[in-house]
PDB file of all heavy atoms in Angstrom:
ATOM      1  N   MET T1613     -21.995  23.295  17.750  1.00  0.00           N
ATOM      2  CA  MET T1613     -22.114  21.850  18.000  1.00  0.00           C
ATOM      3  C   MET T1613     -23.351  21.603  18.823  1.00  0.00           C
ATOM      4  O   MET T1613     -23.465  22.086  19.957  1.00  0.00           O
ATOM      5  CB  MET T1613     -20.883  21.340  18.736  1.00  0.00           C
ATOM      6  CG  MET T1613     -20.935  19.860  19.019  1.00  0.00           C
ATOM      7  SD  MET T1613     -20.940  18.837  17.533  1.00  0.00           S
ATOM      8  CE  MET T1613     -19.184  18.649  17.258  1.00  0.00           C
ATOM      9  N   TYR T1640     -36.162  12.162  33.299  1.00  0.00           N
ATOM     10  CA  TYR T1640     -34.705  12.204  33.332  1.00  0.00           C
ATOM     11  C   TYR T1640     -34.227  12.071  34.758  1.00  0.00           C
ATOM     12  O   TYR T1640     -34.920  12.510  35.674  1.00  0.00           O
ATOM     13  CB  TYR T1640     -34.184  13.573  32.774  1.00  0.00           C
ATOM     14  CG  TYR T1640     -33.962  13.547  31.288  1.00  0.00           C
ATOM     15  CD1 TYR T1640     -34.826  14.231  30.419  1.00  0.00           C
ATOM     16  CD2 TYR T1640     -32.882  12.839  30.743  1.00  0.00           C
ATOM     17  CE1 TYR T1640     -34.601  14.181  29.057  1.00  0.00           C
ATOM     18  CE2 TYR T1640     -32.693  12.813  29.369  1.00  0.00           C
ATOM     19  CZ  TYR T1640     -33.540  13.482  28.544  1.00  0.00           C
ATOM     20  OH  TYR T1640     -33.338  13.438  27.180  1.00  0.00           O
ATOM     21  N   ASN T1641     -33.070  11.484  34.969  1.00  0.00           N
ATOM     22  CA  ASN T1641     -32.495  11.505  36.312  1.00  0.00           C
ATOM     23  C   ASN T1641     -31.159  12.215  36.303  1.00  0.00           C
ATOM     24  O   ASN T1641     -30.623  12.546  35.238  1.00  0.00           O
ATOM     25  CB  ASN T1641     -32.380  10.066  36.896  1.00  0.00           C
ATOM     26  CG  ASN T1641     -31.419   9.211  36.110  1.00  0.00           C
ATOM     27  OD1 ASN T1641     -30.381   9.651  35.646  1.00  0.00           O
ATOM     28  ND2 ASN T1641     -31.763   7.918  35.965  1.00  0.00           N
ATOM     29  N   LEU T1677     -34.892  20.249  36.530  1.00  0.00           N
ATOM     30  CA  LEU T1677     -33.813  19.365  37.000  1.00  0.00           C
ATOM     31  C   LEU T1677     -32.555  19.540  36.126  1.00  0.00           C
ATOM     32  O   LEU T1677     -31.424  19.610  36.620  1.00  0.00           O
ATOM     33  CB  LEU T1677     -34.277  17.899  36.985  1.00  0.00           C
ATOM     34  CG  LEU T1677     -33.241  16.874  37.446  1.00  0.00           C
ATOM     35  CD1 LEU T1677     -32.884  17.064  38.931  1.00  0.00           C
ATOM     36  CD2 LEU T1677     -33.748  15.433  37.233  1.00  0.00           C
ATOM     37  N   PHE T1699     -34.790  29.213  26.608  1.00  0.00           N
ATOM     38  CA  PHE T1699     -35.989  28.388  26.402  1.00  0.00           C
ATOM     39  C   PHE T1699     -36.004  27.892  24.957  1.00  0.00           C
ATOM     40  O   PHE T1699     -35.544  28.574  24.042  1.00  0.00           O
ATOM     41  CB  PHE T1699     -37.259  29.188  26.694  1.00  0.00           C
ATOM     42  CG  PHE T1699     -37.409  29.598  28.128  1.00  0.00           C
ATOM     43  CD1 PHE T1699     -37.829  30.862  28.459  1.00  0.00           C
ATOM     44  CD2 PHE T1699     -37.107  28.710  29.161  1.00  0.00           C
ATOM     45  CE1 PHE T1699     -37.963  31.257  29.782  1.00  0.00           C
ATOM     46  CE2 PHE T1699     -37.218  29.085  30.495  1.00  0.00           C
ATOM     47  CZ  PHE T1699     -37.642  30.364  30.804  1.00  0.00           C
ATOM     48  N   VAL T1716     -21.630  25.763  21.806  1.00  0.00           N
ATOM     49  CA  VAL T1716     -22.185  24.413  22.049  1.00  0.00           C
ATOM     50  C   VAL T1716     -23.630  24.590  22.527  1.00  0.00           C
ATOM     51  O   VAL T1716     -23.890  25.399  23.429  1.00  0.00           O
ATOM     52  CB  VAL T1716     -21.351  23.682  23.122  1.00  0.00           C
ATOM     53  CG1 VAL T1716     -22.036  22.345  23.473  1.00  0.00           C
ATOM     54  CG2 VAL T1716     -19.941  23.438  22.621  1.00  0.00           C
ATOM     55  N   ASP T1725     -33.797  16.730  18.621  1.00  0.00           N
ATOM     56  CA  ASP T1725     -34.293  16.171  17.341  1.00  0.00           C
ATOM     57  C   ASP T1725     -34.870  17.285  16.475  1.00  0.00           C
ATOM     58  O   ASP T1725     -34.535  17.427  15.308  1.00  0.00           O
ATOM     59  CB  ASP T1725     -35.372  15.116  17.622  1.00  0.00           C
ATOM     60  CG  ASP T1725     -35.959  14.563  16.337  1.00  0.00           C
ATOM     61  OD1 ASP T1725     -35.172  14.158  15.469  1.00  0.00           O
ATOM     62  OD2 ASP T1725     -37.200  14.532  16.210  1.00  0.00           O
ATOM     63  N   LEU T1727     -34.546  20.691  16.834  1.00  0.00           N
ATOM     64  CA  LEU T1727     -33.629  21.804  16.509  1.00  0.00           C
ATOM     65  C   LEU T1727     -32.604  21.399  15.474  1.00  0.00           C
ATOM     66  O   LEU T1727     -32.149  22.236  14.700  1.00  0.00           O
ATOM     67  CB  LEU T1727     -32.944  22.311  17.797  1.00  0.00           C
ATOM     68  CG  LEU T1727     -33.878  23.017  18.788  1.00  0.00           C
ATOM     69  CD1 LEU T1727     -33.082  23.395  20.055  1.00  0.00           C
ATOM     70  CD2 LEU T1727     -34.569  24.238  18.203  1.00  0.00           C
ATOM     71  N   MET T1733     -31.023  23.622   7.879  1.00  0.00           N
ATOM     72  CA  MET T1733     -31.341  24.582   6.823  1.00  0.00           C
ATOM     73  C   MET T1733     -30.311  25.686   6.715  1.00  0.00           C
ATOM     74  O   MET T1733     -30.183  26.362   5.713  1.00  0.00           O
ATOM     75  CB  MET T1733     -32.741  25.182   7.044  1.00  0.00           C
ATOM     76  CG  MET T1733     -33.856  24.231   6.668  1.00  0.00           C
ATOM     77  SD  MET T1733     -33.834  23.882   4.882  1.00  0.00           S
ATOM     78  CE  MET T1733     -33.070  22.271   4.834  1.00  0.00           C
ATOM     79  N   CYS T1735     -27.211  25.147   6.724  1.00  0.00           N
ATOM     80  CA  CYS T1735     -26.115  24.594   5.905  1.00  0.00           C
ATOM     81  C   CYS T1735     -26.536  24.458   4.449  1.00  0.00           C
ATOM     82  O   CYS T1735     -25.687  24.301   3.582  1.00  0.00           O
ATOM     83  CB  CYS T1735     -25.717  23.222   6.441  1.00  0.00           C
ATOM     84  SG  CYS T1735     -25.254  23.275   8.166  1.00  0.00           S
TER      85      CYS T1735
END
Side-chain angles (χ1 to χ4, degrees):
M1613 180 64 89
Y1640 271 108
N1641 64 38
L1677 180 65
F1699 295 137
V1716 173
D1725 177 50
L1727 293 176
M1733 284 295 102
C1735 304

